[in-house]
Amino acid sequence: MIAELVSSALGLALYLNTLSADFCYDDSRAIKTNQDLLPETPWTHIFYNDFWGTLLTHSGSHKSYRPLCTLSFRLNHAIGGLNPWSYHLVNVLLHAAVTGLFTSFSKILLGDGYWTFMAGLMFASHPIHTEAVAGIVGRADVGASLFFLLSLLCYMKHCSTRGASARTWGWFLGTGLCAGCSMLWKEQGVTVLAVSAVYDVFVFHRLKMKQILPTIYKRKNLSLFLSISLLTFWGTSLLGARLYWMGNKPPSFSNSDNPAADSDSLLARTLTFFYLPTKNLWLLLCPDTLSFDWSMDAVPLLKTICDWRNLHTVAFYTGLLLLAYYGLKSPSVEGECNGKFVTNGKQNANGHSCHSEVEYRNSEIKPSFPSKVENGIKNNVSERTRLPSTENIVVLSLSLLIIPFVPATNLFFYVGFVIAERVLYIPSMGFCLLITVGARALYVKVQKRFLKSLIFYATATLIVFYGLKTAIRNGDWQNEEMLYRSGIKVNPAKAWGNLGNVLKSQSKISEAESAYRNALYYRSNMADMLYNLGLLLQENSRFAEALHYYKLAIGSRPTLASAYLNTGIILMNQGKTEEARRTFLKCSEIPDENLKDPHAHKSSVTSCLYNLGKLYHEQGHYEDALSVYKEAIQKMPRQFAPQSLYNMMGEAYMRLSKLPEAEHWYMESLRSKTDHIPAHLTYGKLLALTGRKSEAEKFFLKAIELDPTKGNCYMHYGQFLLEEARLIEAAEMAKKAAELDSTEFDVVFNAAHMLRQASLNEAAEKYYDLAAKLRPNYPAALMNLGAILHLNGRLQKAEANYLRALQLKPDDIITQSNLRKLWNIMEKQGLKTSKT
């Protein structure tokens, strides 16, 4: 019990500093934007959606069905919202629990001695676990491991009580239930059933390869045959149910997720897929270089036989075969027990009797836990528990190392990653056990005390180094910037790109731009990075460059709806309305099939339709605008904030004089977001129009209260006051609006207009002049500036603005009429005109 507690305590202590860490990397999509975590989403959706909140049967789903993990996230969200501390705490506690269970499991195999302690400490401190524990989405692996070990321990109990008590089938039921739970935490959890079968055959019954078939067919061994058959049936049922639930289709991934799978060369695919397990083993043995992401070109493809990395592959599989041969070879006459050397089974150590393999050469099964007979009833309770031999533990360790890793090898289906460190959480149990039993075997083998001490302290030193590396690596997971900087040497394209997003969020614009360009230097066709760079440039008013990168992003990924959306917005603001309209329409027609994040795609499509409706609205095509808005509402995903869309629906109905419909949609906008300022303003205008003046004023004042720094609110309230003939108050509101939003043309222009209507012509001139500077090529601004200059007696300046307005809009009747009147006045005053 002490070993379990100390190992768990170490596992807890090493990760305490992660409690202050922020959300990192995949946490955003799995937690921050996952609608399945929200209380308004029915909890049953968790069982129909994948880990990222996408419908499991959707063509773009990753098919990662982990409802128990998502359910744990939802509980976290219900208790602590989006505070990362509570999420990290659960991960650390789960890791401590898994470490304790693994130490208990090791004790069954290695005995109650210091080698068990070594195995537990090695697992607690291994650096490969940092992604699974420090990264919140790694909870899937840690939770699956917890039930993986519970299932395996239940099956070991089943084996030890089989034939002695009816309770043995209770333990088997526990095995099946825990295996199912493990699979519902993460897919690889179901492999515990295969590991359990290996334990039963090669450890509990100590069979060698050539003994398996003859032994199973003996009548005395029907219980073994039945157990293995039930494990097979249950495993097949779980896999069949899971395949059916995800729509009987494998997931599809992009080229960057798994480049080898997308390679046209059979040789490159074969060599790379054979090499990747070698690289994973090296990460377990020497986790010096770790990364948050190993996709893209992090592991370059092996394209020829001459690639020197093939030597690593040969060495790996040779070593694997030798270890398998050692564990499954014909039995020897020597063994050891918990570090004590024995010959022919005569030595007893630490209260455990050790028997040689010679006793098991016959084909009759003699289980590791011999039974005794009391009162004529066979009981499977031994006076002294015998430990498995080194060969038995090697076989079990290899099964723990290999079998849970098989789903990640691309053997049965392609996976969406090259290497994923968190996938090694369960296989690391087999690795830690293998290293420990290997060190113990060497310790037993050597005779000199110096060599024994050397082996023991070398193992202890390895654990210390692992612990130090884990502590250092946890520092990288404190925040996203440190994490992405640490991954630059492994996956520069992905790391620089993600670092650019972080730097942008910190308002380090030039550094963010450099990061995006660095990412594109390593991989020039990354649509997301091209889009992100375009977005950065757009936000900094570098519209021509932004358009260039948006077009490159669309060329790289024609289904990237967000790139179409921002391209259309820029074109619309540049007055290229027809081009913008075509862009929005094209975006709205892109289906969401085979897209990684269909929710984000639908949001972008809805925004495209919203902006297309605004375009029609500005052109006076209100019926067309309504039609587009209705389509947007139909396509709108659950997470889309609809208040602006509903408000524009109300605006369109208002312009068509359909006031009841307009009021309905204004109210819908306010229901969806009670503090939506535009809806307060537009609904206030409708109330004023329908004679509900006092109610209207309340909505205008409420809008100002919600955001006293927004000039637009004062402008609308000023217009209301102007209509009520409260001229002084209206003028004050106009000035306040123009002062607050002095760079917003609409606010400044309307403020000038209100001041003119209030007969405050000098103030009106000031703001008309500012409006004309904001939009020097806008005819209406120039015409109104000319008009106010005309009224204020600045006739030559008025003439210049009228003429400039007519250059931009030659057929404007009002400007022509005003110019003729101005010329008449100038001629009467003897002033020279451009006409003369």
Side-chain angles (χ1 to χ4, degrees):
M1 192 61 166
I2 294 175
E4 287 94 325
L5 290 174
V6 173
S7 299
S8 295
L10 178 63
L12 191 67
L14 281 172
Y15 289 94
L16 281 177
N17 66 326
T18 65
L19 297 180
S20 61
D22 202 352
F23 291 114
C24 288
Y25 194 39
D26 286 335
D27 298 344
S28 179
R29 188 175 166 209
I31 297 167
K32 286 185 176 181
T33 61
N34 191 342
Q35 298 297 301
D36 289 343
L37 272 58
L38 302 178
E40 58 266 27
T41 303
W43 66 271
T44 51
H45 283 204
I46 290 172
F47 295 94
Y48 294 93
N49 295 338
D50 67 15
F51 190 53
W52 314 100
T54 303
L55 189 65
L56 200 63
T57 53
H58 188 276
S59 57
S61 170
H62 275 204
K63 311 296 184 184
S64 45
Y65 186 58
R66 303 163 192 172
L68 293 186
C69 185
T70 308
L71 190 60
S72 75
F73 289 154
R74 180 158 178 150
L75 291 173
N76 261 129
H77 192 280
I79 295 169
L82 288 176
N83 183 353
W85 185 87
S86 64
Y87 294 85
H88 285 295
L89 178 63
V90 173
N91 275 32
V92 173
L93 292 176
L94 281 172
H95 176 62
V98 171
T99 302
L101 281 176
F102 175 73
T103 309
S104 295
F105 169 69
S106 300
K107 185 186 289 186
I108 297 172
L109 302 173
L110 302 172
D112 193 7
Y114 47 76
W115 292 110
T116 295
F117 193 47
M118 289 286 193
L121 292 179
M122 188 176 295
F123 182 82
S125 62
H126 203 293
I128 205 69
H129 298 155
T130 52
E131 183 180 6
V133 183
I136 296 172
V137 294
R139 185 184 299 181
D141 298 85
V142 185
S145 300
L146 181 72
F147 284 96
F148 187 101
L149 284 169
L150 287 172
S151 178
L152 188 53
L153 290 169
C154 282
Y155 192 78
M156 293 168 87
K157 275 285 189 181
H158 164 71
C159 292
S160 64
T161 59
R162 188 166 43 202
S165 167
R167 285 184 299 175
T168 188
W169 296 109
W171 288 113
F172 188 90
L173 181 62
T175 298
L177 289 175
C178 289
C181 289
S182 184
M183 189 186 76
L184 293 176
W185 274 88
K186 192 169 184 182
E187 301 77 12
Q188 66 185 136
V190 73
T191 59
V192 68
L193 299 173
V195 175
S196 298
V198 170
Y199 169 80
D200 201 352
V201 173
F202 296 107
V203 179
F204 187 78
H205 287 101
R206 302 187 175 216
L207 297 180
K208 303 301 175 183
M209 284 301 294
K210 63 182 181 181
Q211 296 174 315
I212 295 175
L213 289 177
T215 300
I216 286 178
Y217 284 116
K218 283 181 171 287
R219 277 191 178 181
K220 294 180 180 179
N221 304 322
L222 284 177
S223 60
L224 170 63
F225 180 76
L226 180 60
S227 294
I228 300 299
S229 298
L230 288 172
L231 286 175
T232 304
F233 170 76
W234 183 235
T236 304
S237 299
L238 287 175
L239 289 172
R242 195 196 180 292
L243 185 64
Y244 169 77
W245 204 244
M246 71 182 196
N248 296 312
K249 291 180 181 178
S252 59
F253 300 104
S254 68
N255 164 270
S256 62
D257 291 330
N258 189 348
D262 198 59
S263 173
D264 294 328
S265 170
L266 176 62
L267 179 64
R269 288 200 305 273
T270 304
L271 293 177
T272 304
F273 287 152
F274 271 109
Y275 170 73
L276 288 177
T278 308
K279 182 69 175 177
N280 279 274
L281 180 66
W282 182 250
L283 288 177
L284 285 169
L285 187 62
C286 183
D288 177 55
T289 302
L290 299 175
S291 176
F292 71 97
D293 189 283
W294 289 83
S295 63
M296 300 182 182
D297 302 316
V299 180
L301 299 182
L302 284 76
K303 297 180 180 179
T304 67
I305 296 292
C306 298
D307 193 312
W308 61 272
R309 289 175 294 172
N310 288 313
L311 296 176
H312 296 173
T313 305
V314 172
F316 167 72
Y317 287 104
T318 301
L320 199 63
L321 289 171
L322 288 173
L323 276 174
Y325 173 75
Y326 171 78
L328 298 171
K329 69 179 180 179
S330 298
S332 63
V333 295
E334 295 182 345
E336 73 284 330
C337 185
N338 202 24
K340 303 292 184 178
F341 185 79
V342 297
T343 304
N344 292 329
K346 302 302 180 184
Q347 178 72 24
N348 182 284
N350 294 339
H352 299 285
S353 64
C354 297
H355 298 261
S356 75
E357 300 292 342
V358 174
E359 300 175 29
Y360 299 96
R361 281 183 180 170
N362 57 40
S363 60
E364 183 180 341
I365 298 176
K366 294 184 179 180
S368 295
F369 301 93
S371 59
K372 64 179 183 177
V373 176
E374 283 186 11
N375 302 324
I377 300 174
K378 195 176 210 182
N379 290 317
N380 203 11
V381 180
S382 66
E383 294 175 357
R384 293 177 299 177
T385 303
R386 182 171 62 251
L387 296 177
S389 67
T390 296
E391 291 89 342
N392 299 147
I393 301 174
V394 166
V395 172
L396 184 60
S397 300
L398 286 174
S399 72
L400 260 175
L401 178 65
I402 297 169
I403 295 174
F405 183 71
V406 166
T409 60
N410 297 278
L411 182 62
F412 299 111
F413 47 83
Y414 291 141
V415 296
F417 53 84
V418 179
I419 291 174
E421 291 168 17
R422 57 179 176 254
V423 168
L424 295 173
Y425 192 89
I426 295 177
S428 69
M429 297 179 192
F431 172 81
C432 293
L433 203 54
L434 195 61
I435 294 295
T436 305
V437 77
R440 188 189 73 167
L442 285 174
Y443 184 92
V444 169
K445 195 78 173 175
V446 301
Q447 299 298 315
K448 294 183 179 180
R449 182 176 295 276
F450 166 74
L451 292 176
K452 288 181 180 289
S453 297
L454 182 64
I455 292 167
F456 178 82
Y457 287 115
T459 308
T461 302
L462 179 65
I463 293 171
V464 171
F465 279 137
Y466 279 172
L468 290 173
K469 176 63 178 178
T470 296
I472 294 169
R473 182 61 178 159
N474 282 339
D476 292 337
W477 280 88
Q478 282 296 304
N479 58 64
E480 287 190 303
E481 182 175 354
M482 295 175 67
L483 180 65
Y484 299 145
R485 288 191 186 279
S486 71
I488 288 173
K489 61 182 177 180
V490 174
N491 191 346
K494 193 71 170 280
W496 278 117
N498 287 347
L499 182 60
N501 294 336
V502 174
L503 293 170
K504 180 186 169 187
S505 69
Q506 296 171 354
S507 299
K508 298 176 181 177
I509 304 303
S510 61
E511 292 178 54
E513 183 179 347
S514 295
Y516 288 140
R517 293 190 187 279
N518 285 340
L520 292 169
Y521 170 80
Y522 287 100
R523 196 177 179 91
S524 60
N525 64 341
M526 289 192 296
D528 289 328
M529 291 311 113
L530 291 165
Y531 169 77
N532 288 337
L533 179 54
L535 188 60
L536 180 76
L537 295 168
Q538 180 184 358
E539 290 171 356
N540 287 275
S541 303
R542 293 159 65 181
F543 300 116
E545 293 176 85
L547 277 176
H548 170 70
Y549 283 102
Y550 286 146
K551 288 174 182 177
L552 288 176
I554 291 168
S556 180
R557 191 192 301 164
T559 57
L560 187 57
S562 52
Y564 288 94
L565 168 64
N566 285 290
T567 298
I569 289 172
I570 292 175
L571 292 170
M572 188 167 68
N573 290 336
Q574 290 179 340
K576 300 175 182 177
T577 54
E578 183 56 29
E579 214 176 324
R581 186 188 69 81
R582 288 197 302 268
T583 303
F584 289 139
L585 279 174
K586 190 170 183 180
C587 175
S588 68
E589 293 166 358
I590 301 173
D592 64 352
E593 294 175 6
N594 299 315
L595 296 181
K596 186 183 291 185
D597 192 350
H599 295 307
H601 172 80
K602 287 178 180 177
S603 292
S604 294
V605 168
T606 304
S607 295
C608 270
L609 290 167
Y610 167 76
N611 280 282
L612 178 59
K614 279 183 68 177
L615 181 61
Y616 285 142
H617 188 100
E618 289 173 6
Q619 293 175 337
H621 306 316
Y622 303 119
E623 292 288 357
D624 291 336
L626 276 174
S627 176
V628 171
Y629 290 147
K630 288 174 183 176
E631 184 183 351
I633 290 171
Q634 288 177 346
K635 293 185 176 180
M636 180 175 65
R638 280 187 299 136
Q639 77 274 15
F640 188 84
Q643 62 272 7
S644 295
L645 178 57
Y646 293 161
N647 187 54
M648 288 304 297
M649 284 278 286
E651 281 281 86
Y653 277 119
M654 184 90 159
R655 294 301 177 93
L656 292 169
S657 300
K658 296 181 179 180
L659 300 187
E661 291 89 344
E663 184 165 3
H664 166 76
W665 285 108
Y666 289 147
M667 292 301 296
E668 284 296 313
S669 178
L670 289 168
R671 282 193 198 97
S672 61
K673 192 172 189 293
T674 55
D675 60 349
H676 188 51
I677 293 172
H680 279 82
L681 298 174
T682 50
Y683 189 41
K685 287 165 65 178
L686 183 142
L687 290 169
L689 185 65
T690 54
R692 291 172 278 178
K693 307 288 186 179
S694 59
E695 287 182 70
E697 188 164 4
K698 287 178 184 177
F699 273 90
F700 289 128
L701 290 171
K702 180 64 176 177
I704 292 172
E705 180 188 331
L706 288 170
D707 192 351
T709 65
K710 204 171 184 68
N712 194 42
C713 299
Y714 294 95
M715 184 193 73
H716 279 83
Y717 184 40
Q719 287 176 332
F720 168 77
L721 294 170
L722 190 65
E723 290 167 6
E724 293 296 298
R726 293 156 65 179
L727 301 182
I728 303 300
E729 293 174 82
E732 288 301 317
M733 291 299 108
K735 289 178 182 178
K736 185 74 172 176
E739 287 169 5
L740 288 172
D741 286 346
S742 60
T743 59
E744 292 291 329
F745 172 81
D746 289 334
V747 173
V748 173
F749 185 73
N750 284 311
H753 192 61
M754 287 163 56
L755 290 165
R756 180 182 172 183
Q757 286 181 294
S759 300
L760 298 171
N761 292 346
E762 290 296 328
E765 181 184 328
K766 173 185 173 181
Y767 290 112
Y768 275 130
D769 184 57
L770 179 57
K773 288 175 181 175
L774 290 173
R775 285 196 189 173
N777 296 319
Y778 188 51
L782 295 165
M783 187 273 286
N784 279 280
L785 176 57
I788 198 67
L789 289 166
H790 186 164
L791 288 173
N792 289 343
R794 295 175 178 87
L795 305 182
Q796 290 179 325
K797 285 186 179 180
E799 181 189 31
N801 282 281
Y802 283 147
L803 290 171
R804 175 66 180 146
L806 286 170
Q807 284 178 355
L808 295 169
K809 193 176 180 183
D811 57 346
D812 188 76
I813 297 172
I814 296 175
T815 308
Q816 291 172 353
S817 173
N818 285 348
L819 182 59
R820 284 194 296 271
K821 291 176 184 177
L822 177 69
W823 281 340
N824 288 334
I825 296 171
M826 291 175 73
E827 286 172 354
K828 286 177 182 179
Q829 293 183 6
L831 297 174
K832 185 179 179 180
T833 67
S834 60
K835 179 175 69 171
T836 59

